[in-house]
DNA sequence: AAGGCAATTTGACGCAGATCAAAACGGGCG
DNA sequence: CGCCCGTTTTGATCTGCGTCAAATTGCCTT
């Protein structure tokens, strides 16, 4: 529980990847410097030298197959995880076994921060497609951020942004109507895909309608109906999980105006 | 924007307190060491020596009268604030001017963490009763937490707990019925008052029904009706803002069972 | 290619909670 | 003390979304 000044852990087993060449495994270890995500991820804004130091933090990568858990609620916090590729959800669990999706996470995002306070994970993290995450032991991150102020600062920003995101979700759940929620959700996805260099108007929904509904505080039927309605209005084009935004401004207008639920 | 190794700011104007003796002003400056909240607040778990160092962080105290703002949405982040006495709310603002209560805050709690990511406050912070807060400049907190690992660790825990709290609110807003939400809310208040040495069963609601409703994603009439219903069942006794919990277990049962909204 | 299961869509209906309205209450101020 | 205004309560009605149900589609397995 006390701070350990562990600095790098070269002795760890290389990784759990299954069928990779040695060369690739080696590349895996020198993560951040060569990672295309370092402008989005934890090392954002660091100098190349600093990023080299951060490489030592990410000593292990882990593959999580579609449907598998990265961690489970109640489990002790082992590390934080940065998503390198793939798509995940986190679910908060009710005492009575029911669950609610608390967020969807894509590459460059950090998961597990909710567990720092109690050292126990509060949610399940489940891969919605085959994913690849970097394991970042918290102790190491803390000791390194004592040495690299800009890393420390960036880590704080990342945590803070998670809080800000949560406030946005609270707003959505507390005061938006079904179609507004869905519009806000689609705009959010769009923007995040765009930030990663993907199309902001055409993408694949990796989650089911039920998962979208759980996240938005709606039933799957309502999600389906709202999508159909948007489709009928030609605001979007949906076919199963493939989605294209046709009139992004219409979505924006929808989110802006709160007809109901003052 | 870069880290400044500022360490203490003894030169600041003492404080904005209005009618205090010099002795008291002086006492105000040596905040944490003599503060009865240090087990709840930021210095929790530090050694007496470490707390002395932390005293330098809290170089200013600020009084916020009932109804006044501590900070406003959009304003640049000046500092984090630890509540010493009083009671506050934070409100997220819609673009269209509508607002939603994102949280209620009581003594020992830290406010402003949502602003670290963008350096801009995301919510308004308003005092619901005359309050007294400690100003903690973020730069100073960061530089000191580089020197005192247990401070760093505790700060991370505090931020993480805010994230965990938000997840709880998301759960509440996304999947509980009106009376469950209210029960969860009352239990939460009860527990937080208890942690501060106040009665867990009898307290004063400092916020209006409308503010409760805003926080819980309900209309004030619904809040009022739910309170009346609990009262009729003799689960609680409410008179205006005075509230007594008579059957705390009934409230707990209510939160446990999710009749609706799977 | 066929079969089966999960996901999705669509319709009909009901209800929790929003909305509208009005009365009662309480607290601060002249 | 009494007035005024914001807060709260309570009732009546309306509606968005949940619930139930059934048909359709797509995907994965054999």
């Amino acid at each position: 529980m006390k701070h350990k000044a562990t600095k790098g852990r070269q002795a760890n087993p290389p990784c759990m990847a299954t069928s990779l060449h040695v060369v690739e495994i080696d590349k895996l270890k020198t993560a951040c410097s060569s990672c295309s995500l370092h402008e989005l991820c934890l090392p954002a804004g660091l100098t190349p030298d600093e990023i080299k130091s951060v490489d030592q933090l990410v000593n292990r990568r882990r593959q999580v197959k579609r449907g598998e858990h990265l961690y489970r609620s109640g489990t002790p916090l082992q590390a934080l995880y940065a998503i390198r590729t793939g798509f995940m959800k986190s679910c908060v669990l009710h005492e009575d076994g029911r669950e609610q999706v608390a967020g969807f996470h894509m590459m460059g995002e950090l998961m597990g921060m909710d567990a720092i306070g109690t050292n126990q994970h509060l949610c399940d993290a489940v891969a919605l497609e085959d994913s690849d995450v970097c394991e970042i032991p918290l102790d190491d991150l803390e000791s390194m951020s004592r040495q690299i102020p800009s890393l420390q600062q960036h880590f704080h920003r990342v945590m803070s942004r998670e809080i800000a995101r949560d406030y946005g979700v609270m707003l959505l759940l507390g005061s938006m109507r079904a179609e507004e929620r869905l519009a806000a959700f689609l705009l959010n996805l769009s923007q995040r895909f765009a930030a990663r260099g993907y199309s902001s108007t055409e993408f694949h929904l990796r989650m089911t309608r039920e998962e979208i509904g759980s996240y938005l505080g709606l039933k799957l039927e309502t999600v389906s109906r709202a999508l159909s309605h948007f489709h009928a209005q030609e605001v979007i084009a949906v076919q199963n999980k493939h989605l294209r935004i046709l009139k992004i401004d219409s979505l924006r207008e929808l989110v802006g105006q709160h007809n109901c639920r003052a």
Side-chain angles (χ1 to χ4, degrees), chain A:
Chain A
M1 219 58 84
K2 287 276 115 75
H3 59 95
K4 302 181 298 180
T6 53
K7 178 187 164 187
R9 295 187 178 177
Q10 290 79 351
N12 273 353
C15 84
M16 302 180 74
T18 48
S19 56
L20 293 165
H21 299 287
V22 176
V23 196
E24 287 174 340
I25 290 176
D26 200 53
K27 211 195 308 181
L28 294 189
K29 292 186 68 177
T30 60
C32 304
S33 308
S34 61
C35 177
S36 62
L37 292 169
H38 71 239
E39 272 310 318
L40 271 171
C41 192
L42 201 59
L46 302 199
T47 66
D49 271 359
E50 287 170 340
I51 296 184
K52 277 233 171 79
S53 307
V54 173
D55 282 347
Q56 300 178 346
L57 285 181
V58 184
N59 49 44
R60 204 163 90 159
R61 283 192 26 215
R62 205 170 129 187
Q63 287 193 301
V64 191
K65 293 274 176 202
R66 183 169 191 280
E68 282 180 5
H69 282 71
L70 173 58
Y71 50 77
R72 283 172 194 277
S73 173
T75 294
L77 171 68
Q78 308 279 4
L80 301 180
Y81 302 92
I83 302 180
R84 187 180 256 263
T85 63
F87 202 89
M88 308 202 73
K89 67 170 176 180
S90 43
C91 306
V92 206
L93 301 176
H94 291 238
E95 318 80 77
D96 62 4
R98 216 90 40 67
E99 69 175 42
Q100 166 160 353
V101 175
F104 297 108
H105 311 278
M106 50 179 81
M107 53 197 229
E109 294 177 347
L110 204 60
M111 298 185 69
M113 291 176 291
D114 55 277
I116 297 172
T118 57
N119 265 306
Q120 282 213 336
H121 286 289
L122 200 113
C123 351
D124 282 11
V126 183
L128 295 180
E129 61 181 30
D130 292 0
S131 301
D132 198 354
V133 302
C134 300
E135 236 179 78
I136 304 168
L138 180 62
D139 289 342
D140 296 353
L141 174 58
E142 287 182 336
S143 72
M144 187 157 297
S145 70
R146 266 178 261 132
Q147 295 158 40
I148 306 177
S150 48
L151 174 65
Q152 177 197 39
Q153 191 178 44
H154 191 67
F155 177 49
H156 292 167
R157 291 193 177 179
V158 170
M159 289 198 93
S160 169
R161 276 188 218 127
E162 171 69 20
I163 295 173
R165 182 190 76 85
D166 296 345
Y167 279 20
V169 177
M170 286 165 55
L171 208 76
L172 181 146
L173 292 172
S175 62
M176 290 188 186
R177 337 183 79 254
E179 296 198 350
E180 281 179 84
R181 296 186 199 190
L182 193 67
F185 172 68
L186 295 178
L187 288 172
N188 176 264
L189 278 186
S190 162
Q191 182 213 313
R192 285 155 74 200
F193 280 124
R196 282 157 186 79
Y198 297 109
S199 168
S200 66
T201 55
E202 191 164 5
F203 45 85
H204 207 76
L205 299 169
R206 335 263 155 147
M207 68 298 281
T208 66
R209 307 284 191 256
E210 186 169 19
E211 286 162 336
I212 297 173
S214 174
Y215 179 61
L216 298 179
L218 302 169
K219 305 269 79 180
L220 67 147
E221 295 95 329
T222 306
V223 173
S224 177
R225 269 185 254 268
L227 285 172
S228 302
H229 186 216
F230 287 165
H231 189 113
Q233 291 177 147
E234 293 181 310
V235 171
I236 62 171
V238 240
Q239 173 147 42
N240 208 23
K241 311 229 157 172
H242 181 82
L243 189 135
R244 195 189 322 187
I245 299 179
L246 303 174
K247 298 184 196 155
I248 199 156
D249 289 334
S250 302
L251 290 179
R252 292 210 184 95
E253 281 167 36
L254 251 167
V255 177
Q257 66 194 20
H258 297 265
N259 319 321
C260 175
R261 279 169 136 274

